[in-house]
Amino acid sequence: MASETYTVTGMTCGHCAASVREEIEEIPGVQNVDVTVDSGRVEVTSETPLDREAVARAVTEAGYQLV
């Protein structure tokens, strides 16, 4: 199991967090996504380490940016 923490900019509310969470959860192997709106912190737990580009694409699809 792997855990990575990312920073996402532009989130301002629970709906933002839900959008980011839903997109990242679609990446194969992702088991849990914990989003903290205030800090932009996104902690992702997965079966194996994730490709940062895959996470960046998911965040972009949700309408936000990975720092």
Side-chain angles (χ1 to χ4, degrees):
M1 191 161 319
S3 180
E4 292 285 334
T5 301
Y6 304 93
T7 302
V8 175
T9 60
M11 296 186 299
T12 59
C13 66
H15 181 265
C16 299
S19 296
V20 169
R21 184 179 306 109
E22 288 170 13
E23 291 297 333
I24 293 175
E25 285 175 342
E26 291 182 13
I27 300 171
V30 170
Q31 296 178 322
N32 186 56
V33 181
D34 184 35
V35 180
T36 305
V37 174
D38 294 341
S39 64
R41 180 182 164 151
V42 179
E43 188 171 345
V44 181
T45 305
S46 56
E47 295 171 0
T48 59
L50 298 177
D51 176 43
R52 183 174 171 82
E53 286 304 311
V55 176
R57 283 191 301 273
V59 169
T60 298
E61 183 67 28
Y64 306 95
Q65 279 196 315
L66 189 65
V67 176

